[in-house]
């Protein structure tokens, strides 16, 4: 399994990849620029190329994550254009670093007509991907249901992709905490088997390109997105063993977004996940 964690690029793209190796990871996630801004970043192409070469040599996967303000459902024209420019910038950086793609959320729509929110998402995806020829994809992540139910069902995610004119440039990123929080992954016995079966039937797994592996501080179905270290939260080690059976059969990056222990790193948690995984 290609397990890793989220890492900083404060020392550059190549150094982030090298740090992943030190943690015995074979995958990692990074913010390609300031995570709190939609500004466009100028990056060092030589550093990005060196990162790509290093990852290819060490068979390491990486994924980028779009900034927090990114909202595909945004209504305001000015913010829509800023979002489009930002995501195209993210895609270009991810492509230069050899990353699988850029993780993005549906976001939240505050208007009266939910259907318009979905139309906004499709239009935003269209504007971002029109003319895009790179291998890096937009990876739509399922949401936790915190403040909005939008993006919490597999049916929505699959339908939005199928309605896009550029669906070949769109994949999915599955977040375990989000799925558990919104009730998509039921906490009842057999919850994972039920989700696994539905995802296969809908064709969701066919386009899954990354996983966010996070335990949950809260019980399932509460709509609260609060991550916990694997095995210490409400999901627990036994449920993770079940889902890891599914993910271990997929050659995709599985990335931790869990709290870093004070004075430590994700190394022990990465090793623990490897122990839980059947392969």
């Amino acid at each position: 399994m290609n397990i890793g964690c989220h890492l900083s690029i404060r020392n550059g793209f190549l150094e982030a990849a090298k740090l992943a190796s030190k943690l015995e990871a074979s995958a990692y996630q990074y913010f390609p620029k300031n995570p709190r801004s939609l500004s466009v970043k100028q990056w060092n192409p030589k550093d990005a190329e060196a990162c790509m070469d290093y990852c290819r040599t060490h068979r390491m996967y990486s994924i980028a994550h779009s900034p927090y303000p990114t909202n595909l459902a945004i209504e305001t024209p000015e913010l829509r254009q800023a979002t489009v420019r930002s995501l195209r910038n993210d895609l270009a950086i991810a492509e230069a670093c050899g990353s699988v793609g850029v993780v993005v959320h549906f976001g939240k729509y505050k208007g009266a007509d939910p259907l318009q929110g979905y139309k906004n998402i499709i239009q935003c995806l269209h504007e971002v991907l029109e003319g895009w020829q790179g291998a890096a994809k937009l990876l739509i992540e399922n949401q936790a249901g915190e403040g909005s139910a939008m993006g919490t069902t597999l049916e929505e995610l699959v339908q939005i992709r199928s309605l896009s004119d550029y669906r070949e440039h769109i994949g999915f990123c599955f977040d375990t905490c989000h799925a558990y929080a919104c009730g998509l992954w039921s906490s009842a016995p057999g919850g994972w088997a039920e989700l696994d079966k539905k995802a296969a039937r809908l064709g969701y797994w066919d386009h899954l390109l990354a996983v966010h592996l996070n335990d949950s501080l809260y019980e399932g179905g509460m709509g609260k997105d609060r991550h916990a270290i694997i095995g210490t939260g409400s999901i627990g080690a036994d449920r993770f063993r079940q889902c890891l059976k599914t993910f271990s059969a997929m050659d995709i990056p599985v990335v931790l977004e869990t709290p870093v222990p004070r004075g430590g790193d994700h190394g022990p948690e990465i090793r623990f996940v490897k122990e839980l995984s059947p392969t």
Side-chain angles (χ1 to χ4, degrees):
M1 176 179 291
N2 307 303
I3 178 71
C5 59
H6 186 98
L7 296 173
S8 170
I9 60 163
R10 67 171 62 94
N11 295 318
F13 300 123
L14 175 59
E15 289 304 312
K18 288 182 176 179
L19 178 56
S21 288
K22 291 178 182 177
L23 295 173
E24 299 178 20
S26 53
Y28 68 97
Q29 176 178 267
Y30 63 96
F31 285 118
K33 59 192 179 197
N34 183 349
R36 304 191 182 281
S37 171
L38 293 177
S39 61
V40 172
K41 174 181 178 177
Q42 298 296 323
W43 72 94
N44 183 335
K46 290 184 178 180
D47 182 33
E49 184 178 7
C51 173
M52 178 174 61
D53 291 342
Y54 183 91
C55 289
R56 286 178 176 174
T57 299
H58 293 81
R59 200 182 176 278
M60 182 178 296
Y61 289 89
S62 69
I63 54 175
H65 198 299
S66 59
Y68 296 126
T70 305
N71 184 357
L72 296 178
I74 196 68
E75 186 87 341
T76 310
E78 294 80 7
L79 281 177
R80 165 74 63 78
Q81 290 308 307
T83 298
V84 169
R85 288 192 298 269
S86 176
L87 282 172
R88 288 188 70 91
N89 183 227
D90 294 339
L91 276 171
I93 294 173
E95 181 78 6
C97 290
S99 302
V100 174
V102 179
V103 178
V104 62
H105 304 162
F106 273 8
K108 296 180 181 179
Y109 176 69
K110 298 182 180 180
D113 180 11
L115 180 58
Q116 184 60 50
Y118 293 110
K119 290 179 180 178
N120 291 349
I121 290 170
I122 294 171
Q123 181 60 31
C124 191
L125 289 170
H126 179 90
E127 292 182 27
V128 172
L129 295 172
E130 187 175 18
W132 176 247
Q133 299 296 322
K137 300 178 184 289
L138 286 182
L139 310 179
I140 302 177
E141 180 179 355
N142 57 303
Q143 297 185 177
E146 194 170 50
S148 172
M150 181 175 280
T152 59
T153 70
L154 298 182
E155 288 86 351
E156 289 172 276
L157 301 169
V158 170
Q159 183 72 346
I160 287 292
R161 182 184 181 278
S162 69
L163 290 173
S164 172
D165 291 339
Y166 304 107
R167 64 182 70 91
E168 70 274 13
H169 296 301
I170 298 174
F172 301 122
C173 175
F174 181 83
D175 188 298
T176 56
C177 178
H178 294 181
Y180 191 73
C182 72
L184 172 61
W185 182 1
S186 171
S187 58
W192 180 258
E194 180 182 348
L195 190 160
D196 191 6
K197 184 177 180 180
K198 174 186 281 190
R201 184 178 73 252
L202 293 173
Y204 176 84
W205 289 151
D206 296 339
H207 304 288
L208 184 71
L209 296 176
V211 172
H212 285 166
L213 200 72
N214 303 308
D215 211 326
S216 173
L217 280 176
Y218 291 96
E219 295 295 325
M222 295 182 66
K224 292 188 176 183
D225 181 18
R226 299 295 183 275
H227 299 179
I229 293 172
I230 303 300
T232 69
S234 180
I235 297 177
D238 287 342
R239 288 192 181 94
F240 276 109
R241 286 191 183 92
Q242 296 170 31
C243 77
L244 288 171
K245 287 181 181 178
T246 299
F247 300 141
S248 64
M250 305 177 184
D251 188 20
I252 59 176
V254 178
V255 175
L256 300 166
E257 293 181 312
T258 53
V260 181
R262 184 181 297 273
D265 56 39
H266 276 110
E269 192 176 7
I270 289 172
R271 290 190 288 274
F272 179 61
V273 172
K274 289 178 180 179
E275 292 173 2
L276 292 177
S277 177
T279 56

PDB file of all heavy atoms in Angstrom, residues 39-66:
ATOM      1  N   SER A  39      -4.473  33.153  -4.359  1.00  0.00           N
ATOM      2  CA  SER A  39      -3.494  33.834  -5.205  1.00  0.00           C
ATOM      3  C   SER A  39      -2.748  32.835  -6.076  1.00  0.00           C
ATOM      4  O   SER A  39      -2.612  31.657  -5.735  1.00  0.00           O
ATOM      5  CB  SER A  39      -2.493  34.606  -4.346  1.00  0.00           C
ATOM      6  OG  SER A  39      -1.791  33.724  -3.489  1.00  0.00           O
ATOM      7  N   VAL A  40      -2.268  33.317  -7.211  1.00  0.00           N
ATOM      8  CA  VAL A  40      -1.507  32.489  -8.151  1.00  0.00           C
ATOM      9  C   VAL A  40      -0.034  32.535  -7.777  1.00  0.00           C
ATOM     10  O   VAL A  40       0.518  33.600  -7.497  1.00  0.00           O
ATOM     11  CB  VAL A  40      -1.720  32.980  -9.596  1.00  0.00           C
ATOM     12  CG1 VAL A  40      -0.788  32.263 -10.561  1.00  0.00           C
ATOM     13  CG2 VAL A  40      -3.170  32.782 -10.007  1.00  0.00           C
ATOM     14  N   LYS A  41       0.605  31.369  -7.769  1.00  0.00           N
ATOM     15  CA  LYS A  41       1.995  31.261  -7.326  1.00  0.00           C
ATOM     16  C   LYS A  41       2.939  31.034  -8.506  1.00  0.00           C
ATOM     17  O   LYS A  41       2.651  30.252  -9.410  1.00  0.00           O
ATOM     18  CB  LYS A  41       2.135  30.101  -6.335  1.00  0.00           C
ATOM     19  CG  LYS A  41       3.559  29.787  -5.907  1.00  0.00           C
ATOM     20  CD  LYS A  41       3.587  28.605  -4.954  1.00  0.00           C
ATOM     21  CE  LYS A  41       4.998  28.229  -4.556  1.00  0.00           C
ATOM     22  NZ  LYS A  41       5.030  27.119  -3.578  1.00  0.00           N
ATOM     23  N   GLN A  42       4.086  31.716  -8.458  1.00  0.00           N
ATOM     24  CA  GLN A  42       5.187  31.429  -9.364  1.00  0.00           C
ATOM     25  C   GLN A  42       6.110  30.442  -8.654  1.00  0.00           C
ATOM     26  O   GLN A  42       6.546  30.702  -7.533  1.00  0.00           O
ATOM     27  CB  GLN A  42       5.943  32.708  -9.710  1.00  0.00           C
ATOM     28  CG  GLN A  42       5.110  33.749 -10.440  1.00  0.00           C
ATOM     29  CD  GLN A  42       4.657  33.271 -11.812  1.00  0.00           C
ATOM     30  OE1 GLN A  42       5.395  32.584 -12.516  1.00  0.00           O
ATOM     31  NE2 GLN A  42       3.433  33.636 -12.174  1.00  0.00           N
ATOM     32  N   TRP A  43       6.396  29.311  -9.275  1.00  0.00           N
ATOM     33  CA  TRP A  43       7.185  28.288  -8.603  1.00  0.00           C
ATOM     34  C   TRP A  43       8.496  28.054  -9.341  1.00  0.00           C
ATOM     35  O   TRP A  43       8.685  28.472 -10.479  1.00  0.00           O
ATOM     36  CB  TRP A  43       6.394  26.989  -8.480  1.00  0.00           C
ATOM     37  CG  TRP A  43       6.210  26.228  -9.760  1.00  0.00           C
ATOM     38  CD1 TRP A  43       6.988  25.218 -10.241  1.00  0.00           C
ATOM     39  CD2 TRP A  43       5.184  26.419 -10.744  1.00  0.00           C
ATOM     40  NE1 TRP A  43       6.522  24.758 -11.456  1.00  0.00           N
ATOM     41  CE2 TRP A  43       5.412  25.489 -11.784  1.00  0.00           C
ATOM     42  CE3 TRP A  43       4.095  27.286 -10.839  1.00  0.00           C
ATOM     43  CZ2 TRP A  43       4.591  25.395 -12.894  1.00  0.00           C
ATOM     44  CZ3 TRP A  43       3.277  27.204 -11.965  1.00  0.00           C
ATOM     45  CH2 TRP A  43       3.527  26.274 -12.969  1.00  0.00           C
ATOM     46  N   ASN A  44       9.385  27.363  -8.656  1.00  0.00           N
ATOM     47  CA  ASN A  44      10.704  27.052  -9.205  1.00  0.00           C
ATOM     48  C   ASN A  44      10.600  25.796 -10.070  1.00  0.00           C
ATOM     49  O   ASN A  44      10.435  24.690  -9.541  1.00  0.00           O
ATOM     50  CB  ASN A  44      11.698  26.826  -8.058  1.00  0.00           C
ATOM     51  CG  ASN A  44      13.112  26.577  -8.551  1.00  0.00           C
ATOM     52  OD1 ASN A  44      13.326  26.117  -9.663  1.00  0.00           O
ATOM     53  ND2 ASN A  44      14.084  26.873  -7.718  1.00  0.00           N
ATOM     54  N   PRO A  45      10.681  25.903 -11.387  1.00  0.00           N
ATOM     55  CA  PRO A  45      10.502  24.735 -12.260  1.00  0.00           C
ATOM     56  C   PRO A  45      11.581  23.673 -12.061  1.00  0.00           C
ATOM     57  O   PRO A  45      11.307  22.476 -12.213  1.00  0.00           O
ATOM     58  CB  PRO A  45      10.536  25.326 -13.666  1.00  0.00           C
ATOM     59  CG  PRO A  45      11.236  26.636 -13.531  1.00  0.00           C
ATOM     60  CD  PRO A  45      10.897  27.142 -12.176  1.00  0.00           C
ATOM     61  N   LYS A  46      12.805  24.088 -11.725  1.00  0.00           N
ATOM     62  CA  LYS A  46      13.875  23.109 -11.511  1.00  0.00           C
ATOM     63  C   LYS A  46      13.614  22.279 -10.261  1.00  0.00           C
ATOM     64  O   LYS A  46      13.863  21.066 -10.243  1.00  0.00           O
ATOM     65  CB  LYS A  46      15.227  23.825 -11.411  1.00  0.00           C
ATOM     66  CG  LYS A  46      15.708  24.426 -12.721  1.00  0.00           C
ATOM     67  CD  LYS A  46      17.099  25.032 -12.582  1.00  0.00           C
ATOM     68  CE  LYS A  46      17.586  25.598 -13.910  1.00  0.00           C
ATOM     69  NZ  LYS A  46      18.939  26.203 -13.797  1.00  0.00           N
ATOM     70  N   ASP A  47      13.112  22.921  -9.212  1.00  0.00           N
ATOM     71  CA  ASP A  47      12.765  22.208  -7.983  1.00  0.00           C
ATOM     72  C   ASP A  47      11.633  21.227  -8.247  1.00  0.00           C
ATOM     73  O   ASP A  47      11.663  20.071  -7.787  1.00  0.00           O
ATOM     74  CB  ASP A  47      12.371  23.220  -6.902  1.00  0.00           C
ATOM     75  CG  ASP A  47      12.034  22.562  -5.572  1.00  0.00           C
ATOM     76  OD1 ASP A  47      12.634  21.518  -5.249  1.00  0.00           O
ATOM     77  OD2 ASP A  47      11.168  23.103  -4.852  1.00  0.00           O
ATOM     78  N   ALA A  48      10.633  21.663  -9.006  1.00  0.00           N
ATOM     79  CA  ALA A  48       9.509  20.793  -9.325  1.00  0.00           C
ATOM     80  C   ALA A  48       9.958  19.590 -10.160  1.00  0.00           C
ATOM     81  O   ALA A  48       9.537  18.450  -9.913  1.00  0.00           O
ATOM     82  CB  ALA A  48       8.442  21.584 -10.081  1.00  0.00           C
ATOM     83  N   GLU A  49      10.823  19.827 -11.135  1.00  0.00           N
ATOM     84  CA  GLU A  49      11.325  18.733 -11.970  1.00  0.00           C
ATOM     85  C   GLU A  49      12.146  17.749 -11.150  1.00  0.00           C
ATOM     86  O   GLU A  49      12.044  16.527 -11.336  1.00  0.00           O
ATOM     87  CB  GLU A  49      12.162  19.290 -13.115  1.00  0.00           C
ATOM     88  CG  GLU A  49      12.644  18.224 -14.080  1.00  0.00           C
ATOM     89  CD  GLU A  49      13.445  18.787 -15.244  1.00  0.00           C
ATOM     90  OE1 GLU A  49      13.733  20.001 -15.239  1.00  0.00           O
ATOM     91  OE2 GLU A  49      13.790  18.011 -16.146  1.00  0.00           O
ATOM     92  N   ALA A  50      12.961  18.280 -10.228  1.00  0.00           N
ATOM     93  CA  ALA A  50      13.767  17.409  -9.365  1.00  0.00           C
ATOM     94  C   ALA A  50      12.859  16.564  -8.473  1.00  0.00           C
ATOM     95  O   ALA A  50      13.137  15.384  -8.219  1.00  0.00           O
ATOM     96  CB  ALA A  50      14.719  18.246  -8.520  1.00  0.00           C
ATOM     97  N   CYS A  51      11.776  17.161  -8.009  1.00  0.00           N
ATOM     98  CA  CYS A  51      10.796  16.431  -7.195  1.00  0.00           C
ATOM     99  C   CYS A  51      10.167  15.306  -8.010  1.00  0.00           C
ATOM    100  O   CYS A  51      10.071  14.163  -7.532  1.00  0.00           O
ATOM    101  CB  CYS A  51       9.724  17.406  -6.704  1.00  0.00           C
ATOM    102  SG  CYS A  51       8.337  16.616  -5.866  1.00  0.00           S
ATOM    103  N   MET A  52       9.758  15.611  -9.228  1.00  0.00           N
ATOM    104  CA  MET A  52       9.161  14.595 -10.095  1.00  0.00           C
ATOM    105  C   MET A  52      10.136  13.447 -10.351  1.00  0.00           C
ATOM    106  O   MET A  52       9.767  12.267 -10.253  1.00  0.00           O
ATOM    107  CB  MET A  52       8.728  15.218 -11.419  1.00  0.00           C
ATOM    108  CG  MET A  52       8.148  14.230 -12.408  1.00  0.00           C
ATOM    109  SD  MET A  52       7.468  15.023 -13.903  1.00  0.00           S
ATOM    110  CE  MET A  52       8.929  15.819 -14.567  1.00  0.00           C
ATOM    111  N   ASP A  53      11.394  13.766 -10.641  1.00  0.00           N
ATOM    112  CA  ASP A  53      12.395  12.736 -10.905  1.00  0.00           C
ATOM    113  C   ASP A  53      12.630  11.871  -9.666  1.00  0.00           C
ATOM    114  O   ASP A  53      12.759  10.642  -9.771  1.00  0.00           O
ATOM    115  CB  ASP A  53      13.709  13.382 -11.353  1.00  0.00           C
ATOM    116  CG  ASP A  53      13.612  14.017 -12.729  1.00  0.00           C
ATOM    117  OD1 ASP A  53      12.666  13.675 -13.472  1.00  0.00           O
ATOM    118  OD2 ASP A  53      14.477  14.847 -13.064  1.00  0.00           O
ATOM    119  N   TYR A  54      12.686  12.520  -8.505  1.00  0.00           N
ATOM    120  CA  TYR A  54      12.911  11.783  -7.249  1.00  0.00           C
ATOM    121  C   TYR A  54      11.755  10.813  -6.991  1.00  0.00           C
ATOM    122  O   TYR A  54      11.973   9.640  -6.637  1.00  0.00           O
ATOM    123  CB  TYR A  54      13.042  12.765  -6.090  1.00  0.00           C
ATOM    124  CG  TYR A  54      13.350  12.108  -4.761  1.00  0.00           C
ATOM    125  CD1 TYR A  54      14.666  11.923  -4.350  1.00  0.00           C
ATOM    126  CD2 TYR A  54      12.322  11.678  -3.911  1.00  0.00           C
ATOM    127  CE1 TYR A  54      14.953  11.313  -3.137  1.00  0.00           C
ATOM    128  CE2 TYR A  54      12.595  11.070  -2.708  1.00  0.00           C
ATOM    129  CZ  TYR A  54      13.918  10.889  -2.328  1.00  0.00           C
ATOM    130  OH  TYR A  54      14.202  10.282  -1.122  1.00  0.00           O
ATOM    131  N   CYS A  55      10.521  11.298  -7.176  1.00  0.00           N
ATOM    132  CA  CYS A  55       9.358  10.453  -6.927  1.00  0.00           C
ATOM    133  C   CYS A  55       9.293   9.275  -7.899  1.00  0.00           C
ATOM    134  O   CYS A  55       8.942   8.157  -7.511  1.00  0.00           O
ATOM    135  CB  CYS A  55       8.083  11.286  -7.005  1.00  0.00           C
ATOM    136  SG  CYS A  55       7.866  12.434  -5.632  1.00  0.00           S
ATOM    137  N   ARG A  56       9.656   9.519  -9.143  1.00  0.00           N
ATOM    138  CA  ARG A  56       9.658   8.420 -10.112  1.00  0.00           C
ATOM    139  C   ARG A  56      10.715   7.387  -9.768  1.00  0.00           C
ATOM    140  O   ARG A  56      10.466   6.182  -9.851  1.00  0.00           O
ATOM    141  CB  ARG A  56       9.893   8.980 -11.515  1.00  0.00           C
ATOM    142  CG  ARG A  56       8.687   9.705 -12.105  1.00  0.00           C
ATOM    143  CD  ARG A  56       8.992  10.285 -13.473  1.00  0.00           C
ATOM    144  NE  ARG A  56       7.805  10.887 -14.077  1.00  0.00           N
ATOM    145  CZ  ARG A  56       7.800  11.567 -15.203  1.00  0.00           C
ATOM    146  NH1 ARG A  56       8.939  11.737 -15.882  1.00  0.00           N
ATOM    147  NH2 ARG A  56       6.681  12.074 -15.677  1.00  0.00           N
ATOM    148  N   THR A  57      11.888   7.854  -9.366  1.00  0.00           N
ATOM    149  CA  THR A  57      12.973   6.943  -9.007  1.00  0.00           C
ATOM    150  C   THR A  57      12.616   6.091  -7.801  1.00  0.00           C
ATOM    151  O   THR A  57      12.940   4.896  -7.736  1.00  0.00           O
ATOM    152  CB  THR A  57      14.255   7.736  -8.711  1.00  0.00           C
ATOM    153  OG1 THR A  57      14.645   8.463  -9.872  1.00  0.00           O
ATOM    154  CG2 THR A  57      15.392   6.813  -8.277  1.00  0.00           C
ATOM    155  N   HIS A  58      11.933   6.704  -6.826  1.00  0.00           N
ATOM    156  CA  HIS A  58      11.605   6.009  -5.580  1.00  0.00           C
ATOM    157  C   HIS A  58      10.181   5.456  -5.579  1.00  0.00           C
ATOM    158  O   HIS A  58       9.688   5.013  -4.537  1.00  0.00           O
ATOM    159  CB  HIS A  58      11.800   6.951  -4.396  1.00  0.00           C
ATOM    160  CG  HIS A  58      13.229   7.322  -4.160  1.00  0.00           C
ATOM    161  ND1 HIS A  58      13.872   8.311  -4.884  1.00  0.00           N
ATOM    162  CD2 HIS A  58      14.148   6.828  -3.295  1.00  0.00           C
ATOM    163  CE1 HIS A  58      15.113   8.409  -4.467  1.00  0.00           C
ATOM    164  NE2 HIS A  58      15.316   7.531  -3.511  1.00  0.00           N
ATOM    165  N   ARG A  59       9.539   5.501  -6.759  1.00  0.00           N
ATOM    166  CA  ARG A  59       8.152   5.012  -6.892  1.00  0.00           C
ATOM    167  C   ARG A  59       7.259   5.586  -5.786  1.00  0.00           C
ATOM    168  O   ARG A  59       6.632   4.857  -5.022  1.00  0.00           O
ATOM    169  CB  ARG A  59       8.089   3.491  -6.883  1.00  0.00           C
ATOM    170  CG  ARG A  59       6.803   2.955  -7.499  1.00  0.00           C
ATOM    171  CD  ARG A  59       6.696   1.442  -7.445  1.00  0.00           C
ATOM    172  NE  ARG A  59       5.411   0.996  -7.949  1.00  0.00           N
ATOM    173  CZ  ARG A  59       4.295   0.976  -7.216  1.00  0.00           C
ATOM    174  NH1 ARG A  59       4.321   1.356  -5.970  1.00  0.00           N
ATOM    175  NH2 ARG A  59       3.146   0.569  -7.750  1.00  0.00           N
ATOM    176  N   MET A  60       7.236   6.885  -5.724  1.00  0.00           N
ATOM    177  CA  MET A  60       6.473   7.586  -4.707  1.00  0.00           C
ATOM    178  C   MET A  60       5.352   8.402  -5.359  1.00  0.00           C
ATOM    179  O   MET A  60       5.554   9.036  -6.382  1.00  0.00           O
ATOM    180  CB  MET A  60       7.397   8.515  -3.908  1.00  0.00           C
ATOM    181  CG  MET A  60       6.712   9.257  -2.786  1.00  0.00           C
ATOM    182  SD  MET A  60       7.885  10.284  -1.866  1.00  0.00           S
ATOM    183  CE  MET A  60       8.956   9.019  -1.179  1.00  0.00           C
ATOM    184  N   TYR A  61       4.181   8.346  -4.749  1.00  0.00           N
ATOM    185  CA  TYR A  61       3.031   9.099  -5.231  1.00  0.00           C
ATOM    186  C   TYR A  61       2.871  10.391  -4.434  1.00  0.00           C
ATOM    187  O   TYR A  61       3.125  10.424  -3.235  1.00  0.00           O
ATOM    188  CB  TYR A  61       1.748   8.281  -5.070  1.00  0.00           C
ATOM    189  CG  TYR A  61       1.624   7.111  -6.012  1.00  0.00           C
ATOM    190  CD1 TYR A  61       2.136   5.866  -5.663  1.00  0.00           C
ATOM    191  CD2 TYR A  61       0.981   7.246  -7.236  1.00  0.00           C
ATOM    192  CE1 TYR A  61       2.009   4.777  -6.507  1.00  0.00           C
ATOM    193  CE2 TYR A  61       0.840   6.166  -8.100  1.00  0.00           C
ATOM    194  CZ  TYR A  61       1.365   4.937  -7.728  1.00  0.00           C
ATOM    195  OH  TYR A  61       1.247   3.865  -8.575  1.00  0.00           O
ATOM    196  N   SER A  62       2.405  11.436  -5.111  1.00  0.00           N
ATOM    197  CA  SER A  62       2.061  12.662  -4.401  1.00  0.00           C
ATOM    198  C   SER A  62       0.750  13.210  -4.934  1.00  0.00           C
ATOM    199  O   SER A  62       0.378  12.971  -6.086  1.00  0.00           O
ATOM    200  CB  SER A  62       3.169  13.713  -4.545  1.00  0.00           C
ATOM    201  OG  SER A  62       3.250  14.197  -5.870  1.00  0.00           O
ATOM    202  N   ILE A  63       0.056  13.922  -4.059  1.00  0.00           N
ATOM    203  CA  ILE A  63      -1.148  14.645  -4.445  1.00  0.00           C
ATOM    204  C   ILE A  63      -1.069  16.040  -3.858  1.00  0.00           C
ATOM    205  O   ILE A  63      -0.516  16.244  -2.773  1.00  0.00           O
ATOM    206  CB  ILE A  63      -2.443  13.945  -3.973  1.00  0.00           C
ATOM    207  CG1 ILE A  63      -2.403  13.668  -2.459  1.00  0.00           C
ATOM    208  CG2 ILE A  63      -2.686  12.677  -4.755  1.00  0.00           C
ATOM    209  CD1 ILE A  63      -3.695  13.088  -1.907  1.00  0.00           C
ATOM    210  N   ALA A  64      -1.603  17.006  -4.584  1.00  0.00           N
ATOM    211  CA  ALA A  64      -1.678  18.374  -4.089  1.00  0.00           C
ATOM    212  C   ALA A  64      -3.078  18.610  -3.531  1.00  0.00           C
ATOM    213  O   ALA A  64      -4.031  17.918  -3.897  1.00  0.00           O
ATOM    214  CB  ALA A  64      -1.383  19.358  -5.217  1.00  0.00           C
ATOM    215  N   HIS A  65      -3.194  19.582  -2.631  1.00  0.00           N
ATOM    216  CA  HIS A  65      -4.505  19.933  -2.080  1.00  0.00           C
ATOM    217  C   HIS A  65      -4.760  21.407  -2.332  1.00  0.00           C
ATOM    218  O   HIS A  65      -3.923  22.251  -2.028  1.00  0.00           O
ATOM    219  CB  HIS A  65      -4.571  19.637  -0.581  1.00  0.00           C
ATOM    220  CG  HIS A  65      -5.974  19.563  -0.043  1.00  0.00           C
ATOM    221  ND1 HIS A  65      -6.842  20.639  -0.089  1.00  0.00           N
ATOM    222  CD2 HIS A  65      -6.667  18.544   0.531  1.00  0.00           C
ATOM    223  CE1 HIS A  65      -8.005  20.283   0.437  1.00  0.00           C
ATOM    224  NE2 HIS A  65      -7.929  19.019   0.816  1.00  0.00           N
ATOM    225  N   SER A  66      -5.913  21.732  -2.899  1.00  0.00           N
ATOM    226  CA  SER A  66      -6.261  23.120  -3.188  1.00  0.00           C
ATOM    227  C   SER A  66      -6.405  23.923  -1.891  1.00  0.00           C
ATOM    228  O   SER A  66      -6.663  23.354  -0.826  1.00  0.00           O
ATOM    229  CB  SER A  66      -7.570  23.169  -3.972  1.00  0.00           C
ATOM    230  OG  SER A  66      -8.623  22.552  -3.239  1.00  0.00           O
TER     231      SER A  66
END
